[in-house]
Amino acid sequence: MTPGIEFLNNKILIGKHLRMSMADNKTGEIWKSFMTDRSMIKNRINEEYISMQVYDSVPDFTNYDPTMEFVKLAVAKP
């Protein structure tokens, strides 16, 4: 698998987000919270979930910094 950047049409997503870094990884916390509340999402199209990270700037992964912060999102399509 080759990583890459993909541009998509606008999507409507609903979920939760949390600021973190890999050094202070709270992925389990955000997903546990989201899955507890997922039944509040009405008229879901499917049961797929999306996990994504949004960085403030383009990260330089050649000089990896585990303290670099990002926003982690745990979301679903309504």
Side-chain angles (χ1 to χ4, degrees):
M1 178 179 188
T2 305
I5 297 173
E6 186 174 337
F7 294 94
L8 305 171
N9 294 328
N10 290 340
K11 306 278 185 216
I12 296 174
L13 304 172
I14 188 166
K16 294 188 174 192
H17 68 279
L18 191 60
R19 190 158 192 84
M20 66 181 78
S21 69
M22 292 307 285
D24 184 28
N25 193 338
K26 299 177 185 172
T27 300
E29 179 182 326
I30 190 76
W31 275 101
K32 182 178 179 181
S33 175
F34 175 69
M35 295 306 275
T36 301
D37 295 337
R38 69 184 171 181
S39 63
M40 294 189 301
I41 304 171
K42 303 299 179 201
N43 303 316
R44 297 254 334 250
I45 300 172
N46 59 45
E47 288 297 317
E48 294 177 4
Y49 299 98
I50 301 168
S51 180
M52 68 179 114
Q53 295 173 189
V54 178
Y55 293 87
D56 295 331
S57 60
V58 177
D60 177 9
F61 289 113
T62 57
N63 296 312
Y64 177 67
D65 177 6
T67 64
M68 178 176 44
E69 290 192 339
F70 54 87
V71 176
K72 173 73 102 177
L73 294 103
V75 298
K77 286 176 74 174

